Amino acid sequence: LFECDIDLQYYQTLSSFMNNSCEYYLEDSFIKYCKQISHVDADLSMIHTNLRSLPKHVTEFQAYLEGLNMEFTIIGITETWLTDVSVDLYSFKGYNIVNNVRRHKKGGGTALIIKENVSYEIRTDLTINNMYMESVFIEIQTSNNSVITKTIIGVVYRPPNTCIDSFNFHMNETLDKIKTERKKCYIMGDFNINLLNADHHAGTSNFLDIMYSHSFFPMITKPTRVTNNSATLIDNIYFNDYTNNDQYSGIMYTDISDHYPIFNISKSEHIKQNEKYIKMRNYSEENIKKFESALKSENWD
């Protein structure tokens, strides 16, 4: 046993809970992939993208989502570039939006877009908005084998060229709060921390240590921002239940912004939906007679 590398054995076991190798997908290949894993609307699904201005790209992004032939449970957006004035001007049909706009200078901003049939609670105690970290968190109810549980979902943005140690401090505080509640949690976003540099960059290594120590592990393992000169893994989705091996993640190949969207589909968790009430008119003979009677009894003078 003294010849075994404990870390190596542990992370090899950990990686087995991922049911795919985190591939890149175009629209048609993503639709085929969803059929392959037998995705249904009740599955908890999420997608994140750094949009670099929601006002500029909202129409293009909405058209792109429609082309995927899938209604995600949660849509996370970083760099919305919304303000207190413009925040109510943009909507997604069939969804509710929770925004956290930047107030100390232009740009930034985070948003969670939640399917309208999903009941949720805004976690203001977890939400942060400062020069090092911007975030929005909500809590929803999910079911697994008929057992109802509460799941926390957040979107995080770390502005580039800011102190990574300060970001790590705020991230650690947030994870400490989540840890005390012992709830499942997904955290997606643009962290502007290139995980491919973890071996030789102290701030990145410290960030990963913080995530691992709170049992959060990355679902995305390939570059999410690719230019002519670089390929970086800075967007990710972290999850804290590695015993759940029904997670399917990947990267969407599109040029809407300079970041690729990332997604995760949980086959073992199903969203608890609000009850729907459908109103209709009853044109029965009895109701028609009542209506005629009401017309005759009315004084039309």
Side-chain angles (χ1 to χ4, degrees), residues 17 26 46 73 76 94 96 131 134 138 152 155 197 227 242:
F17 91 98
L26 294 168
M46 60 195 72
T73 312
N96 298 312
M131 63 184 298
E134 301 171 15
I138 62 170
I152 298 172
V155 59
N197 289 338
T227 68
Y242 60 86

Side-chain angles (χ1 to χ4, degrees), residues 20-201:
N20 61 51
S21 56
C22 187
E23 299 296 338
Y24 294 91
Y25 297 91
L26 294 168
E27 287 108 310
D28 56 346
S29 58
F30 174 76
I31 293 172
K32 292 178 181 177
Y33 179 65
C34 289
K35 291 180 179 178
Q36 176 186 335
I37 65 174
S38 302
H39 164 73
V40 296
D41 289 341
D43 294 337
L44 176 61
S45 58
M46 60 195 72
I47 185 171
H48 163 267
T49 184
N50 178 319
L51 211 49
R52 288 188 58 82
S53 179
L54 181 62
K56 181 180 180 180
H57 297 293
V58 61
T59 303
E60 188 179 3
F61 184 55
Q62 288 174 333
Y64 177 75
L65 291 176
E66 290 179 5
L68 295 178
N69 195 28
M70 173 179 175
E71 292 185 350
F72 286 92
T73 312
I74 308 286
I75 302 169
I77 298 179
T78 49
E79 286 207 76
T80 60
W81 292 16
L82 296 178
T83 65
D84 288 325
V85 176
S86 63
V87 69
D88 294 325
L89 300 179
Y90 302 93
S91 61
F92 285 69
K93 186 178 180 181
Y95 286 84
N96 298 312
I97 303 181
V98 179
N99 281 288
N100 186 10
V101 301
R102 179 184 288 180
R103 293 180 172 85
H104 55 279
K105 63 178 182 178
K106 293 182 179 179
T110 53
L112 284 174
I113 304 172
I114 308 109
K115 209 171 177 180
E116 63 180 1
N117 64 348
V118 177
S119 178
Y120 65 92
E121 173 188 352
I122 302 175
R123 292 295 304 268
T124 56
D125 58 317
L126 299 175
T127 297
I128 293 177
N129 191 336
N130 58 40
M131 63 184 298
Y132 306 111
M133 178 175 170
E134 301 171 15
S135 65
V136 171
F137 282 86
I138 62 170
E139 186 173 294
I140 66 173
Q141 287 187 332
T142 58
S143 62
N144 187 344
N145 296 323
S146 300
V147 177
I148 304 297
T149 59
K150 292 184 177 182
T151 299
I152 298 172
I153 298 176
V155 59
V156 170
Y157 176 61
R158 173 184 171 255
N161 304 317
T162 57
C163 179
I164 190 172
D165 292 333
S166 297
F167 171 81
N168 285 340
F169 172 80
H170 290 296
M171 196 71 199
N172 188 60
E173 277 194 332
T174 300
L175 298 182
D176 279 340
K177 293 178 183 178
I178 295 172
K179 188 175 183 178
T180 60
E181 299 182 27
R182 303 179 66 85
K183 294 175 181 175
K184 287 182 288 186
C185 179
Y186 295 86
I187 301 177
M188 52 184 163
D190 172 12
F191 300 85
N192 275 305
I193 298 175
N194 185 12
L195 298 191
L196 303 180
N197 289 338
D199 289 341
H200 53 271
H201 184 262

Side-chain angles (χ1 to χ4, degrees), residues 9 20 41 86 97 107 136 158 211 222 235 245 260 272:
Q9 298 298 324
N20 61 51
D41 289 341
S86 63
I97 303 181
V136 171
R158 173 184 171 255
M211 300 304 289
K222 293 181 179 179
D235 306 271
N245 60 0
Y260 295 149
K272 188 176 184 298

Side-chain angles (χ1 to χ4, degrees), residues 10 13-14 18 73 124-125 154 172 183 196 264 282 300-301:
Y10 175 68
T13 304
L14 177 67
M18 293 287 289
T73 312
T124 56
D125 58 317
N172 188 60
K183 294 175 181 175
L196 303 180
N264 183 72
N282 185 353
W300 296 98
D301 294 337

Side-chain angles (χ1 to χ4, degrees), residues 234-260:
I234 58 179
D235 306 271
N236 224 307
I237 301 174
Y238 292 87
F239 184 43
N240 66 348
D241 182 11
Y242 60 86
T243 62
N244 183 342
N245 60 0
D246 264 343
Q247 305 290 327
Y248 300 85
S249 302
I251 306 165
M252 310 300 295
Y253 188 78
T254 176
D255 60 355
I256 295 177
S257 77
D258 58 350
H259 293 249
Y260 295 149

